[in-house]
Amino acid sequence: MAVYSMTGYASAQHSPGTSPASHDGGKTATGARLGLEIRSVNSRFLDLSFRLGEELRAHEPALRELIAGRVKRGKVEVRAGVEGTGAEIAREPSMATLQRLAAVQDTVKTWMPTAADLSVAEVLRLAASEGDTSIDWGESLQQIATNALEDLVAAREREGARLAKMLLGHLQQLRALAEQARPLVPQLVEQQRQKFLERWKEAMALGEGSATPEAAQDRALTEATAFAIRIDVAEELTRLAAHLDEIERLVKKGGEIGKRLDFLIQELHREANTLGSKSATLELTKISVDMKVLIEQMREQVQNIE
C-alpha cells in the first residue's frame, strides 16, 4: 500500500464542445465552461471547504460524499464555477426574456425614476445568466470532480513516495548515529573508574592511613558504579532502535499512517533528549544534537503524511 501526502492540487473542466445537453427542452451548455479545482494541505483531520458558483451549490453534498470517500485527512478546498464565453454572450435573448427584463426595468423606474436604463451589454449578460440557471450541471460536475479527485490522489501518492524515501534515509542516518554512541559509554565508564581509583589513592596518601586501602578501593568502585548508572544510555538506545524499526515497518506498509508516525516521532525526540541529558562527553552530546536535527526534519515530513 502506498504512502500518501496530504499536499496536492488538481483541476478539471468541461470545454464547450464536450459539455452535455441539459434537460430544459433542447438547450445545451455549449458556450459555457464548467471548471473545478481541488487543493489540499496538511491537517489533523479531514476539513472540507467549498467555493461553488450559485448554479452549483445544490451539488455540494454529492461532492462532499465523493471526496470523503477517497481522502481521509487534510484541509481540502474545492472551487467550482461556470464561465460564459463570447459566443454564449452574443446569443440572441428570447422574446420572453426581453419582456421580463423590460417589465423589471419599468417596475424599478416607477420607484426610482432617476435609475439608468439597462444597456445592451447588461441585457445580454442578464439574459445569458438566466439561461445558465436552467442548465443542470450535476452530471458534468460529478464527472469532472471524479477526474480531478483521481489526479489529486495520484499527486498525493507521488508526494507521499518522495516523503517515504526521505524518511527511510533519515532512519539510516539515525541508526548510524546510534551505533556511534553505543561503544562510547563503556569506554567512558572505564576511564572514569580509573580516575576514581587514582583520586582515592591520592586521598589515602594524604590521609596518612586514616582508612584501609580496601575500604578506599570499595568506595571508589561504588562511586564509579553510581556514575556508570547515571550515564548509561543502553536503555535509551534500545528503545530508539525499536522506534526506528516500527517507523520503517509503517512506511513500508503504507496506508493511513500519519498519526502513528507522529506519535513515534515524539518518542524518538524524547529518547534523543535523554541521551543528551545523560551525556558526559562532547562526542555523545554532538551525536544527540545530530539526532535531534534529523528527528525534527522527520517531524516536518510526517506532518504531511495522511
Side-chain angles (χ1 to χ4, degrees):
M1 192 177 295
V3 173
Y4 292 93
S5 168
M6 287 187 281
T7 302
Y9 170 83
S11 65
Q13 60 181 253
H14 257 304
S15 62
T18 59
S19 296
S22 65
H23 305 287
D24 61 346
K27 292 183 181 179
T28 68
T30 302
R33 183 175 63 241
L34 173 63
L36 181 141
E37 292 183 344
I38 306 180
R39 303 173 186 269
S40 69
V41 295
N42 61 308
S43 176
R44 293 184 63 191
F45 308 100
L46 179 60
D47 180 9
L48 296 176
S49 63
F50 295 86
R51 297 188 178 184
L52 306 178
E54 186 67 33
E55 61 276 6
L56 303 177
R57 289 180 183 172
H59 304 292
E60 179 180 325
L63 288 177
R64 186 178 294 275
E65 182 179 357
L66 176 67
I67 294 170
R70 295 297 305 276
V71 177
K72 303 306 179 183
R73 286 182 68 202
K75 180 176 176 58
V76 182
E77 180 181 339
V78 180
R79 294 172 178 260
V82 178
E83 296 180 357
T85 65
E88 180 186 11
I89 295 175
R91 198 166 52 220
E92 182 178 353
S94 67
M95 186 62 67
T97 297
L98 292 175
Q99 288 174 345
R100 281 196 298 273
L101 290 175
V104 170
Q105 177 175 261
D106 291 341
T107 302
V108 171
K109 291 183 72 67
T110 298
W111 294 95
M112 303 175 64
T114 59
D117 293 337
L118 289 171
S119 67
V120 173
E122 289 170 338
V123 169
L124 291 175
R125 179 174 57 81
L126 292 171
S129 299
E130 182 184 60
D132 284 345
T133 58
S134 64
I135 299 172
D136 182 6
W137 292 101
E139 183 179 350
S140 299
L141 181 62
Q142 193 76 4
Q143 182 59 52
I144 67 169
T146 300
N147 294 340
L149 187 57
E150 291 295 332
D151 291 343
L152 178 73
V153 171
R156 287 164 61 116
E157 182 177 354
R158 289 192 298 272
E159 178 66 13
R162 186 184 69 83
L163 293 176
K165 184 178 179 180
M166 293 177 67
L167 285 174
L168 292 175
H170 286 344
L171 291 180
Q172 272 189 327
Q173 295 179 60
L174 285 170
R175 286 195 174 101
L177 289 171
E179 287 305 312
Q180 293 176 29
R182 200 174 299 279
L184 293 178
V185 173
Q187 295 172 8
L188 181 60
V189 169
E190 181 58 29
Q191 293 172 6
Q192 199 66 24
R193 177 176 174 276
Q194 294 301 323
K195 287 182 181 179
F196 275 126
L197 288 174
E198 290 172 5
R199 289 175 183 174
W200 278 106
K201 287 177 182 178
E202 293 174 1
M204 282 295 300
L206 293 174
E208 297 180 353
S210 59
T212 63
E214 293 79 6
Q217 188 176 22
D218 290 343
R219 181 68 180 275
L221 292 176
T222 301
E223 293 290 339
T225 301
F227 175 78
I229 294 173
R230 189 166 63 250
I231 69 168
D232 184 25
V233 293
E235 187 176 346
E236 284 74 15
L237 291 175
T238 300
R239 286 198 297 264
L240 189 140
H243 296 328
L244 294 178
D245 290 343
E246 179 63 10
I247 290 173
E248 182 175 3
R249 186 188 71 81
L250 288 173
V251 170
K252 290 182 177 180
K253 174 186 175 184
E256 299 171 33
I257 60 175
K259 290 183 178 179
R260 297 184 66 182
L261 287 178
D262 189 54
F263 171 76
L264 288 169
I265 292 297
Q266 294 178 34
E267 294 301 306
L268 281 182
H269 200 274
R270 182 178 291 111
E271 303 305 337
N273 271 335
T274 305
L275 195 69
S277 66
K278 287 186 173 183
S279 173
T281 64
L282 290 176
E283 190 174 359
L284 194 57
T285 299
K286 182 180 181 302
I287 289 174
S288 172
V289 171
D290 290 343
M291 280 184 173
K292 286 190 279 189
V293 170
L294 285 170
I295 292 168
E296 189 59 34
Q297 292 173 355
M298 293 175 67
R299 185 199 302 276
E300 294 175 0
Q301 294 157 10
V302 164
Q303 286 176 349
N304 283 321
I305 294 180
E306 185 176 53

